[in-house]
Amino acid sequence: MLGRVELAGPRLSISAMGFGCGGLMQSPSRKERMAVLGAAVDNGITHFDTARMYGLGMAEAELGVFLRTVPRDSVTVATKFGIDVGGLARRLGRFQAPARALLRQAPALRRAVKRRQATPGTARVYDAAGAARSLDESLAALAVDYVDILFLHGPRPGDTVAGAELRDFFERAHRQGKIRAWGVSQDEGLDTDFAAAFAPAGVSQVRADLLHPPPRPADLAFGVLQRSYVALSAALRSDPALAQRWREALQLDPLAPGALPKLILGSSAAATGCRAILYSTTNPGRVAEAAGAVASPPDAATVARFLALAAEVGGGATA
């Protein structure tokens, strides 16, 4: 069974793998969305990560529907503030499946939606007023009294982060029972440590994988599978001699169905130095496979050999 880890700052316990809801609304029906969330819980994943902007602004409410089917204290929920959805995207979000089909078929409209969500080069402002407004909107959408973690969402170098007033806001929201913990979820500009302003109680979440480990320790890593899987599988498929060397070193075929994702997921915590990782899919069957990979990782010697082989390919992994 999937284990649990304790986040050091807030003394908060979460499942060793969390479910990322960024792609939840890509499932075409509520029945399928509930199925993948149910599969997560069935396989020991009890931490769910969402944000105001996910699913064209609709993912929080959809997760909220699922939360009404489980005891609230049996799961932990993280959401984020600071990146919102533009009005056009939110209107499209009400008609999720046809809207996504339309965006796929209309590149100009898709570009317009992205421009409305975040104009490149425009500095964001993360302050207490915005955080308070976003938190109340999140609680209403999720239909819960509190969230377990509230993150600043994706601050970048050049953005304004009002650290002192945000710390006061977080502590006030904690006293009010609206949040249990707070921190920073960072996607880019990782050389800037935005989470330091909220240490030691803050939670740090970063984009990281075995080919791109974070520059400093973090609590949670997201994006652990896709980039490394694409790079490693492409290298192995294009070089039969390399693939054969991997087979001999690992005593398994890394190109066999499911083998490489299992290796990546099973070694991600060790490779990134993060206590927990996030995983996202729309396929319930893959949830079980991913949870199994983390619950029963390869032995330490196999992980060490795999990371060494991966480092030769990507130049960024560390054993």
Side-chain angles (χ1 to χ4, degrees):
M1 177 59 74
L2 192 63
R4 299 186 66 80
V5 299
E6 186 169 284
L7 306 183
R11 302 298 179 186
L12 181 67
S13 175
I14 67 171
S15 53
M17 172 180 280
F19 187 87
C21 295
L24 178 64
M25 300 305 291
Q26 293 176 15
S27 290
S29 72
R30 171 162 291 173
K31 180 179 179 180
E32 290 171 291
R33 295 189 286 270
M34 295 302 108
V36 74
L37 294 171
V41 170
D42 289 344
N43 287 279
I45 300 173
T46 57
H47 180 67
F48 295 89
D49 179 273
T50 188
R52 292 295 299 141
M53 68 170 293
Y54 288 173
L56 300 178
M58 302 299 291
E60 283 184 322
E62 197 70 4
L63 177 60
V65 172
F66 176 74
L67 293 177
R68 291 195 285 274
T69 69
V70 298
R72 176 64 184 89
D73 61 1
S74 70
V75 297
T76 52
V77 178
T79 194
K80 311 177 188 74
F81 74 92
I83 306 177
D84 207 346
V85 179
L88 175 58
R90 193 170 293 280
R91 288 192 294 274
L92 287 171
R94 298 171 187 169
F95 310 97
Q96 197 73 212
R100 289 189 179 278
L102 175 62
L103 291 175
R104 284 194 297 269
Q105 296 170 14
L109 180 59
R110 185 167 66 248
R111 288 193 295 271
V113 169
K114 288 183 178 180
R115 284 196 300 271
R116 296 288 184 90
Q117 290 188 53
T119 303
T122 300
R124 303 185 190 117
V125 176
Y126 298 82
D127 59 15
R133 181 175 59 254
S134 184
L135 174 58
D136 285 343
E137 291 171 350
S138 291
L139 293 175
L142 289 160
V144 296
D145 296 325
Y146 69 94
V147 293
D148 297 276
I149 309 173
L150 179 64
F151 284 118
L152 279 78
H153 193 180
R156 307 157 300 181
D159 290 344
T160 297
V161 177
E165 69 175 66
L166 282 172
R167 177 184 283 275
D168 289 343
F169 161 75
F170 288 141
E171 292 174 350
R172 184 169 61 254
H174 182 264
R175 290 194 300 271
Q176 294 170 340
K178 291 184 175 183
I179 64 175
R180 295 178 65 199
W182 55 89
V184 179
S185 179
Q186 200 169 343
D187 195 357
E188 55 184 294
L190 297 182
D191 290 336
T192 302
D193 186 2
F194 289 102
F198 309 106
V203 179
S204 176
Q205 179 168 292
V206 296
R207 178 180 292 279
D209 61 60
L210 61 87
L211 298 180
H212 309 86
R216 58 191 167 276
D219 292 297
L220 295 104
F222 64 94
V224 299
L225 180 59
Q226 185 65 21
R227 285 190 301 181
S228 52
Y229 175 77
V230 169
L232 295 176
S233 61
L236 292 168
R237 293 183 190 283
S238 65
D239 188 341
L242 178 66
Q244 182 58 33
R245 188 156 65 86
W246 278 47
R247 292 185 189 97
E248 294 171 356
L250 300 172
Q251 294 298 296
L252 58 82
D253 183 0
L255 294 177
L260 189 55
K262 183 175 181 179
L263 285 167
I264 293 170
L265 291 170
S267 63
S268 284
T272 63
C274 295
R275 291 179 173 83
I277 64 173
L278 298 182
Y279 175 77
S280 181
T281 184
T282 58
N283 185 324
R286 289 181 181 170
V287 174
E289 294 170 0
V294 174
S296 301
D299 62 83
T302 299
V303 168
R305 287 194 297 271
F306 169 62
L307 293 180
L309 292 165
E312 293 177 9
V313 173
T318 57

